[in-house]
Amino acid sequence: QVQLVESGGGLVEPGGSLRLSCAASGSFFRINTMRWHRQAPGKERELVAGITPTGGTNYADSVKGRFTISRDNAKNTVFLQMNSLKPEDTAVYYCYANANIGSGVSLEVWGQGTLVTVSS
């Protein structure tokens, strides 16, 4: 009933920037918290940044000051602006959303992932 479609990944040099987008579609009453997670090769998936419906944010220590999460509620879209990228940021980035689909039911939905590679 709810799908997340991610875009914006790719190859970038160290120090460069990328902006990821994730749009929610389908049948839902409200998109609640949205998050970006990432999974580097050989590592567990970790939280990168999260944002509440009213704009409250939190970040992993490793990306504070470099990444900015934002959302456009009218478009049901969350963004991740990534600046000063480092090779350590290389990972598959996944969008997450908690969606209220009515009748007191919430779904936890994951996007398919988009690959970010930071390399010369």
Side-chain angles (χ1 to χ4, degrees):
Q1 291 184 303
V2 185
Q3 300 83 41
L4 301 177
V5 179
E6 301 157 338
S7 62
L11 175 65
V12 64
E13 292 188 354
S17 298
L18 284 174
R19 186 180 69 181
L20 307 183
S21 300
C22 171
S25 62
S27 299
F28 52 84
F29 175 70
R30 180 192 301 112
I31 299 295
N32 300 311
T33 295
M34 303 186 79
R35 300 187 180 103
W36 288 98
H37 294 244
R38 68 185 181 188
Q39 188 164 20
K43 301 291 186 179
E44 294 185 353
R45 190 173 299 187
E46 64 175 348
L47 173 68
V48 176
I51 186 166
T52 70
T54 54
T57 60
N58 66 304
Y59 298 91
D61 288 341
S62 59
V63 307
K64 286 181 179 177
R66 299 189 298 121
F67 291 10
T68 302
I69 189 171
S70 61
R71 65 191 290 166
D72 184 338
N73 290 332
K75 297 181 179 179
N76 295 309
T77 300
V78 64
F79 306 93
L80 186 68
Q81 178 67 46
M82 304 184 294
N83 299 325
S84 302
L85 283 162
K86 305 175 180 179
E88 306 94 276
D89 296 318
T90 296
V92 177
Y93 284 70
Y94 295 92
C95 180
Y96 161 93
N98 180 279
N100 185 335
I101 61 172
S103 301
V105 178
S106 295
L107 298 179
E108 293 185 317
V109 186
W110 291 89
Q112 77 286 351
T114 184
L115 177 63
V116 172
T117 302
V118 184
S119 176
S120 298

